[in-house]
Amino acid sequence: MSKSVYRKEEIIRPDGSVGFAIVSFNLEDVYYKVKEVLNKYFSDVLFESIPLTGWTASPSEIGFNPPGNKTRILSFKRRINREELPEIKERCIQIVNTFQQQDSSIKIIPGYQTLFNTILASTTDDFHKIYLFHGVFAEVVYKYESRL
Protein backbone atom coordinates (compact mmCIF):
# COMPACT_ATOMS: atom_id res chain seq x y z
CA MET A 1 0.00 0.00 0.00
CA SER A 2 1.43 3.40 -0.93
CA LYS A 3 1.57 6.35 1.43
CA SER A 4 -0.46 9.44 0.59
CA VAL A 5 1.53 12.44 -0.60
CA TYR A 6 -1.11 14.80 0.73
CA ARG A 7 -0.91 16.25 4.18
CA LYS A 8 -3.75 15.83 6.65
CA GLU A 9 -5.80 18.86 7.51
CA GLU A 10 -5.44 19.94 11.11
CA ILE A 11 -6.33 22.97 13.17
CA ILE A 12 -3.26 24.96 14.17
CA ARG A 13 -3.48 28.12 16.25
CA PRO A 14 -1.68 30.99 14.46
CA ASP A 15 1.19 32.85 16.05
CA GLY A 16 0.46 36.04 17.95
CA SER A 17 -0.11 39.22 15.98
CA VAL A 18 1.03 42.80 16.44
CA GLY A 19 -1.70 44.64 18.31
CA PHE A 20 -2.28 48.31 17.64
CA ALA A 21 -4.75 51.10 18.31
CA ILE A 22 -5.71 54.05 16.15
CA VAL A 23 -6.53 56.98 18.41
CA SER A 24 -8.46 59.97 17.08
CA PHE A 25 -8.69 63.10 19.24
CA ASN A 26 -8.72 66.90 19.38
CA LEU A 27 -7.01 67.57 22.72
CA GLU A 28 -3.37 66.52 23.17
CA ASP A 29 -3.61 66.27 26.97
CA VAL A 30 -6.51 63.81 26.68
CA TYR A 31 -4.57 61.78 24.10
CA TYR A 32 -1.65 61.37 26.51
CA LYS A 33 -3.99 60.23 29.28
CA VAL A 34 -5.60 57.70 26.91
CA LYS A 35 -2.16 56.53 25.79
CA GLU A 36 -1.21 55.92 29.43
CA VAL A 37 -4.34 53.80 29.99
CA LEU A 38 -3.75 51.84 26.77
CA ASN A 39 -0.16 51.29 27.86
CA LYS A 40 -1.40 49.74 31.12
CA TYR A 41 -4.08 47.62 29.46
CA PHE A 42 -2.29 46.29 26.35
CA SER A 43 1.40 46.54 27.21
CA ASP A 44 4.20 49.01 26.71
CA VAL A 45 3.99 51.04 23.52
CA LEU A 46 6.47 49.75 20.96
CA PHE A 47 5.90 52.40 18.26
CA GLU A 48 3.98 55.67 18.13
CA SER A 49 3.21 57.29 14.78
CA ILE A 50 3.85 60.89 13.96
CA PRO A 51 0.74 63.08 14.29
CA LEU A 52 -1.65 62.31 11.44
CA THR A 53 -4.70 64.23 10.28
CA GLY A 54 -8.21 63.16 11.14
CA TRP A 55 -10.43 61.20 8.77
CA THR A 56 -13.97 61.35 7.48
CA ALA A 57 -16.35 58.95 9.17
CA SER A 58 -17.68 56.12 7.01
CA PRO A 59 -21.43 55.94 6.34
CA SER A 60 -21.74 53.11 8.89
CA GLU A 61 -20.37 55.47 11.59
CA ILE A 62 -22.99 58.18 11.01
CA GLY A 63 -24.72 58.94 14.30
CA PHE A 64 -21.60 58.45 16.42
CA ASN A 65 -19.43 61.37 17.54
CA PRO A 66 -17.27 62.50 14.61
CA PRO A 67 -13.56 61.65 14.79
CA GLY A 68 -11.09 64.26 15.99
CA ASN A 69 -8.79 66.43 13.89
CA LYS A 70 -5.69 64.52 15.03
CA THR A 71 -4.80 60.84 14.85
CA ARG A 72 -1.97 58.69 16.17
CA ILE A 73 -1.34 54.98 15.82
CA LEU A 74 0.19 53.02 18.68
CA SER A 75 1.56 49.49 18.44
CA PHE A 76 2.26 47.41 21.50
CA LYS A 77 5.05 45.07 22.59
CA ARG A 78 2.81 42.21 23.66
CA ARG A 79 1.63 40.12 20.75
CA ILE A 80 -2.08 39.37 20.83
CA ASN A 81 -4.05 36.29 19.91
CA ARG A 82 -6.52 37.05 17.15
CA GLU A 83 -9.46 35.80 19.17
CA GLU A 84 -8.82 38.58 21.72
CA LEU A 85 -10.10 41.26 19.33
CA PRO A 86 -13.72 41.44 20.63
CA GLU A 87 -12.50 41.73 24.24
CA ILE A 88 -9.98 44.41 23.23
CA LYS A 89 -12.67 46.37 21.35
CA GLU A 90 -14.94 46.23 24.39
CA ARG A 91 -12.14 47.54 26.60
CA CYS A 92 -11.42 50.37 24.13
CA ILE A 93 -15.09 51.40 24.23
CA GLN A 94 -14.89 51.56 28.03
CA ILE A 95 -11.77 53.75 27.81
CA VAL A 96 -13.46 56.07 25.27
CA ASN A 97 -16.52 56.40 27.51
CA THR A 98 -14.24 57.39 30.40
CA PHE A 99 -12.64 60.25 28.44
CA GLN A 100 -15.52 61.40 26.22
CA GLN A 101 -16.56 64.20 28.59
CA GLN A 102 -13.07 65.70 28.30
CA ASP A 103 -12.81 65.29 24.49
CA SER A 104 -15.99 64.26 22.67
CA SER A 105 -14.00 63.39 19.53
CA ILE A 106 -11.95 60.63 21.20
CA LYS A 107 -12.08 57.33 19.29
CA ILE A 108 -10.00 54.19 19.70
CA ILE A 109 -10.00 51.60 16.94
CA PRO A 110 -8.05 48.49 17.90
CA GLY A 111 -6.66 46.05 15.41
CA TYR A 112 -3.88 43.63 14.64
CA GLN A 113 -1.38 43.04 11.89
CA THR A 114 -0.12 39.72 10.58
CA LEU A 115 2.26 38.83 7.79
CA PHE A 116 -0.76 38.65 5.48
CA ASN A 117 -3.21 41.39 6.47
CA THR A 118 -4.28 44.23 8.74
CA ILE A 119 -7.55 43.87 10.64
CA LEU A 120 -9.61 46.52 12.46
CA ALA A 121 -12.30 45.89 15.06
CA SER A 122 -15.70 47.49 14.51
CA THR A 123 -19.14 47.48 16.11
CA THR A 124 -20.94 48.17 12.84
CA ASP A 125 -21.84 45.62 10.19
CA ASP A 126 -21.07 46.10 6.51
CA PHE A 127 -20.82 43.87 3.43
CA HIS A 128 -17.06 43.36 3.78
CA LYS A 129 -16.91 42.82 7.56
CA ILE A 130 -16.87 39.44 9.28
CA TYR A 131 -18.85 38.94 12.46
CA LEU A 132 -16.72 37.60 15.33
CA PHE A 133 -18.84 37.59 18.48
CA HIS A 134 -20.19 39.86 21.26
CA GLY A 135 -21.26 42.44 18.64
CA VAL A 136 -17.77 42.91 17.19
CA PHE A 137 -16.87 42.64 13.51
CA ALA A 138 -13.46 42.26 11.86
CA GLU A 139 -12.65 44.47 8.90
CA VAL A 140 -9.82 43.47 6.60
CA VAL A 141 -8.30 46.78 5.55
CA TYR A 142 -5.09 45.57 3.89
CA LYS A 143 -4.08 42.29 2.35
CA TYR A 144 -0.46 41.65 1.45
CA GLU A 145 0.58 39.66 -1.62
CA SER A 146 3.91 38.61 -3.05
CA ARG A 147 4.67 39.93 -6.51
CA LEU A 148 7.32 37.35 -7.35
Side-chain angles (χ1 to χ4, degrees):
M1 197 173 234
S2 68
K3 286 190 171 184
S4 174
V5 294
Y6 301 106
R7 64 185 176 102
K8 291 182 180 179
E9 182 178 21
E10 59 184 314
I11 296 174
I12 300 172
R13 187 176 189 184
D15 293 333
S17 302
V18 176
F20 66 86
I22 302 168
V23 183
S24 172
F25 60 97
N26 281 332
L27 304 174
E28 293 276 339
D29 61 323
V30 175
Y31 164 73
Y32 287 109
K33 291 176 189 174
V34 168
K35 178 183 169 186
E36 190 175 304
V37 172
L38 290 171
N39 197 33
K40 287 178 186 172
Y41 176 70
F42 288 110
S43 74
D44 291 338
V45 171
L46 185 61
F47 295 108
E48 179 176 12
S49 74
I50 61 171
L52 306 167
T53 59
W55 70 85
T56 304
S58 71
S60 64
E61 294 176 315
I62 301 295
F64 297 108
N65 287 349
N69 294 323
K70 301 171 189 170
T71 302
R72 289 212 185 216
I73 301 172
L74 304 170
S75 68
F76 303 96
K77 285 184 181 178
R78 183 181 77 82
R79 296 179 70 79
I80 66 165
N81 295 312
R82 298 173 195 192
E83 59 269 17
E84 290 181 74
L85 196 57
E87 178 187 336
I88 291 169
K89 178 63 176 174
E90 185 176 6
R91 182 69 176 148
C92 287
I93 290 170
Q94 292 169 355
I95 295 167
V96 165
N97 290 340
T98 301
F99 288 97
Q100 212 149 34
Q101 295 246 340
Q102 297 170 49
D103 183 348
S104 63
S105 70
I106 197 82
K107 284 188 176 303
I108 304 171
I109 302 172
Y112 64 80
Q113 189 168 23
T114 71
L115 292 174
F116 307 106
N117 51 37
T118 300
I119 307 293
L120 297 179
S122 174
T123 56
T124 58
D125 196 2
D126 209 339
F127 70 94
H128 64 289
K129 296 180 182 179
I130 301 161
Y131 182 72
L132 300 175
F133 57 94
H134 297 301
V136 177
F137 298 84
E139 180 177 3
V140 179
V141 291
Y142 294 110
K143 150 182 105 128
Y144 307 107
E145 295 179 2
S146 173
R147 298 214 185 249
L148 298 176

